Amino acid sequence: MNNSNIPFNLDNITFMTYIFKTFFISLSTYYTFLKIINIKKFFNAKLVVVFIFSALISILCGILKYKSTSFTSIVSLFLILSALYSIITKNNIGFSMLITVIALSINYVSFFISIIINFIPNIIFIIKNDFINLALMIFFHYIIIYHLFKIKKLKNGFTFLKFNSKNEYFDILILDISVVVLFSFIILNNFNLSLTLSLIFGLIAFSILMFITIQKTFTMYYKHKLLVSELEETKAELENKNKEIEKLEDENLNFSKVSHSIAHKQKSLEHKLNQLMLNTEISSELDISNKVKELSKQCFSNTTTIELPKTDIEQIDDMLSFMQDECTKNNIDFEIKLNGNIYHMVNNFIDKNDLEILLADHIKNAIIAINHSNNVNRSILVKLGLIDGSYGLYIYDSGIEFEIDTLINLGKKPSPTHLDDGGSGMGFMNTFDTLSKYQASITINEINPPSKENYTKFIAITFDKKYEYKIHSYRSENIEQINQRKDLIIEKN
């Protein structure tokens, strides 16, 4: 072999050296392929398969080169290796072709560099043996490839290619450059010396361009990865903040519910304490009790105060007595009807503490509704006990209707309608918690607009284990138009 033509006229090397060169390129390409996709284990059972197939492929490519052209040989090498690596690594064929063409290009560029480096010992020692020259080139080639993947950015593979579906533009760019490098090698193998010399600079330029592109792609990938990481951290921090806000809102809501219930109990106890003070011996001697009672008669002369039936449950009777007093102060007639055994009700259907709060919440709401009505009929009726075959609580009033938005949002979020009169929206939040606790149902029945002959509405809480929310209303069509709740049953009166 003429030494002066070694770097350029590769067509002159013998058939066997070409096969050995192709065999080594195939194995080196497999090593490069694994490094690119960051598979660490090179020596395993799969290597035996690759070794055998690489030998067969090399013989085939040698035959194709000398029977046909270098173009046919290299393209066949590329296609067969792509299919082989796809099967071995279980990647799809498109991805394997992309990595294979990059790996082949890197190896051909590296082999070209090793040919140039081989000039030094070739000139010094005047080596004429093709196999020795090939062995030296393979040695230099191995050193280049080995140290290439010791570079910090490359030792974990081409990370920007791991998720190739997200980097299509980079894939196409690197693919194009790699193909140009391969075709440059094909041209170098098939043209005479004068034309080949003019193409070497193009090959060198494209080889440099390929490595620069890979390096730039790495830089862009890490910047993108850093940006994604920062966005994910920001998103996670925002989610944590939202969770903290939701937690605080829940705690605030629960605190408001508890405070609302305690306020009712406190007022009931204050009322009982006042009653006890009015009935003490000292107040009798000072004639305070009679004076207070006389003053009450003068202030609330239009309201009929009747003696309430007793449930014989002290805290329930205390709360009803307090609510009767509140009604008296607001010039509202207050009436109670008891049916069945209330003891049986609080022992089997609802705890007396929860019943006390239900009574307080809904009687208070009824007082507010009446105070915002111009209706001359100012009255509240409470039915407690066994009603229509089920134990429950019915509260009738002659006040204004609910706002439709309020009806839709009951139990979902606080919907205060009269903040100036002490409305907080917590009454119905507590009510729906109680309904859920006992699987009870609530029905809001709007009978008619305010009139002096009748009640306008009543709220029925029934312990029927159905846990339903119903609205019977003469305004059912208007309510249905804006209703989006799946748990709300709307029926026309």
Side-chain angles (χ1 to χ4, degrees):
M1 181 171 67
N2 188 346
N3 292 337
S4 63
N5 291 339
I6 287 174
F8 310 114
N9 194 357
L10 299 177
D11 192 42
N12 290 335
I13 61 178
T14 65
F15 177 73
M16 288 304 297
T17 54
Y18 183 83
I19 290 176
F20 280 121
K21 184 201 78 169
T22 306
F23 174 70
F24 173 75
I25 290 287
S26 299
L27 289 179
S28 183
T29 299
Y30 177 63
Y31 174 81
T32 308
F33 187 101
L34 296 182
K35 286 293 184 180
I36 289 174
I37 60 177
N38 196 28
I39 294 178
K40 303 295 184 183
K41 292 186 70 174
F42 177 71
F43 295 99
N44 53 29
K46 293 178 181 178
L47 181 61
V48 177
V49 177
V50 173
F51 190 92
I52 295 170
F53 273 91
S54 294
L56 296 174
I57 293 167
S58 300
I59 295 171
L60 175 64
C61 289
I63 295 170
L64 288 173
K65 173 178 171 58
Y66 286 96
K67 294 291 183 180
S68 182
T69 61
S70 294
F71 175 82
T72 306
S73 175
I74 293 177
V75 170
S76 299
L77 178 67
F78 160 66
L79 293 174
I80 297 171
L81 289 181
S82 297
L84 176 63
Y85 300 158
S86 174
I87 295 169
I88 290 174
T89 61
K90 296 181 180 179
N91 286 306
N92 65 65
I93 187 66
F95 182 67
S96 292
M97 289 178 72
L98 171 67
I99 304 301
T100 303
V101 75
I102 295 171
L104 268 175
S105 299
I106 291 172
N107 276 276
Y108 273 114
V109 169
S110 176
F111 195 77
F112 179 77
I113 295 170
S114 69
I115 292 172
I116 296 174
I117 296 172
N118 191 51
F119 253 122
I120 298 171
N122 196 276
I123 292 172
I124 295 173
F125 299 105
I126 313 175
I127 301 170
K128 297 182 178 181
N129 187 288
D130 290 340
F131 287 101
I132 296 175
N133 278 316
L134 181 62
L136 287 172
M137 286 185 282
I138 289 173
F139 174 75
F140 294 134
H141 177 89
Y142 172 78
I143 296 297
I144 294 168
I145 293 295
Y146 177 79
H147 285 284
L148 176 67
F149 287 100
K150 287 294 182 181
I151 298 172
K152 185 177 180 180
K153 285 188 177 181
L154 297 180
K155 68 179 182 178
N156 292 318
F158 290 7
T159 49
F160 61 89
L161 290 174
K162 290 179 185 177
F163 305 100
N164 59 308
S165 61
K166 298 180 181 178
N167 299 280
E168 292 178 359
Y169 294 112
F170 294 139
D171 292 353
I172 293 170
L173 180 60
I174 295 170
L175 177 64
D176 290 343
I177 295 172
S178 301
V179 169
V180 169
V181 170
L182 285 180
F183 272 91
S184 298
F185 249 91
I186 293 170
I187 292 170
L188 285 173
N189 274 277
N190 287 278
F191 282 82
N192 57 43
L193 179 62
S194 59
L195 183 58
T196 300
L197 285 170
S198 65
L199 292 172
I200 286 178
F201 294 106
L203 172 63
I204 294 171
F206 278 113
S207 300
I208 294 171
L209 182 60
M210 182 178 72
F211 285 107
I212 291 174
T213 303
I214 292 173
Q215 190 273 332
K216 292 294 183 183
T217 305
F218 264 112
T219 303
M220 293 179 68
Y221 169 77
Y222 284 119
K223 286 182 179 179
H224 175 72
K225 187 177 179 181
L226 181 62
L227 178 61
V228 170
S229 177
E230 289 177 353
L231 287 173
E232 288 177 350
E233 288 176 3
T234 303
K235 183 180 178 181
E237 186 177 347
L238 182 61
E239 287 178 354
N240 290 333
K241 292 293 183 183
N242 288 335
K243 288 179 181 178
E244 289 179 12
I245 292 170
E246 288 176 4
K247 184 179 178 182
L248 290 173
E249 287 177 347
D250 289 340
E251 289 177 355
N252 183 53
L253 181 61
N254 291 331
F255 177 76
S256 299
K257 290 178 182 179
V258 173
S259 300
H260 182 79
S261 299
I262 292 173
H264 284 313
K265 289 179 177 286
Q266 180 185 359
K267 290 177 181 178
S268 177
L269 291 172
E270 286 177 356
H271 176 262
K272 185 173 183 179
L273 182 60
N274 290 334
Q275 293 294 323
L276 289 172
M277 289 176 65
L278 290 172
N279 291 323
T280 59
E281 293 180 0
I282 296 175
S283 63
S284 298
E285 291 176 3
L286 296 174
D287 201 23
I288 295 174
S289 177
N290 292 330
K291 290 180 180 179
V292 172
K293 289 177 180 178
E294 184 65 30
L295 183 61
S296 296
K297 287 179 181 179
Q298 292 177 11
C299 292
F300 307 111
S301 57
N302 294 329
T303 303
T304 302
T305 303
I306 60 174
E307 185 175 352
L308 298 177
K310 300 295 183 181
T311 65
D312 293 326
I313 302 170
E314 184 178 6
Q315 66 191 79
I316 300 298
D317 289 333
D318 290 343
M319 181 59 74
L320 291 172
S321 176
F322 167 66
M323 286 299 166
Q324 183 186 39
D325 191 56
E326 289 293 297
C327 287
T328 302
K329 289 177 183 178
N330 287 278
N331 196 25
I332 297 171
D333 290 327
F334 184 69
E335 184 181 357
I336 292 178
K337 289 184 180 180
L338 303 179
N339 298 306
N341 189 337
I342 307 303
Y343 266 111
H344 179 72
M345 180 175 175
V346 297
N347 286 330
N348 294 280
F349 296 96
I350 182 172
D351 182 79
K352 59 185 178 182
N353 292 308
D354 293 327
L355 178 59
E356 179 187 9
I357 300 304
L358 281 178
L359 287 164
D361 281 332
H362 292 287
I363 296 172
K364 180 68 175 178
N365 286 346
I367 292 171
I368 293 173
I370 291 172
N371 285 338
H372 282 80
S373 171
N374 295 321
N375 193 359
V376 294
N377 177 14
R378 297 172 65 82
S379 56
I380 294 173
L381 169 64
V382 177
K383 290 182 180 181
L384 182 63
L386 189 61
I387 308 169
D388 295 332
S390 298
Y391 276 92
L393 166 64
Y394 285 44
I395 298 177
Y396 295 74
D397 72 74
S398 58
I400 60 171
E401 308 100 326
F402 286 100
E403 293 182 6
I404 292 179
D405 285 340
T406 301
L407 286 173
I408 299 300
N409 292 318
L410 287 182
K412 295 293 184 182
K413 61 181 181 179
S415 302
T417 52
H418 304 292
L419 290 170
D420 295 339
D421 286 338
S424 64
M426 287 300 152
F428 269 101
M429 294 299 292
N430 278 331
T431 293
F432 273 83
D433 287 344
T434 304
L435 295 175
S436 176
K437 181 178 179 181
Y438 297 105
Q439 291 298 291
S441 298
I442 184 169
T443 301
I444 296 177
N445 195 319
E446 294 185 326
I447 304 167
N448 48 248
S451 66
K452 64 181 181 179
E453 291 87 10
N454 200 357
Y455 294 105
T456 57
K457 65 180 183 293
F458 70 86
I459 295 173
I461 297 172
T462 309
F463 299 96
D464 56 4
K465 297 297 182 182
K466 293 181 180 179
Y467 191 40
E468 293 178 337
Y469 174 28
K470 296 181 180 180
I471 296 176
H472 295 283
S473 176
Y474 63 91
R475 302 182 295 163
S476 59
E477 293 180 359
N478 295 333
I479 299 171
E480 283 178 345
Q481 287 178 358
I482 64 171
N483 176 45
Q484 294 181 344
R485 286 181 65 162
K486 294 181 180 179
D487 63 333
L488 175 57
I489 303 169
I490 302 172
E491 298 176 349
K492 188 172 182 179
N493 264 343

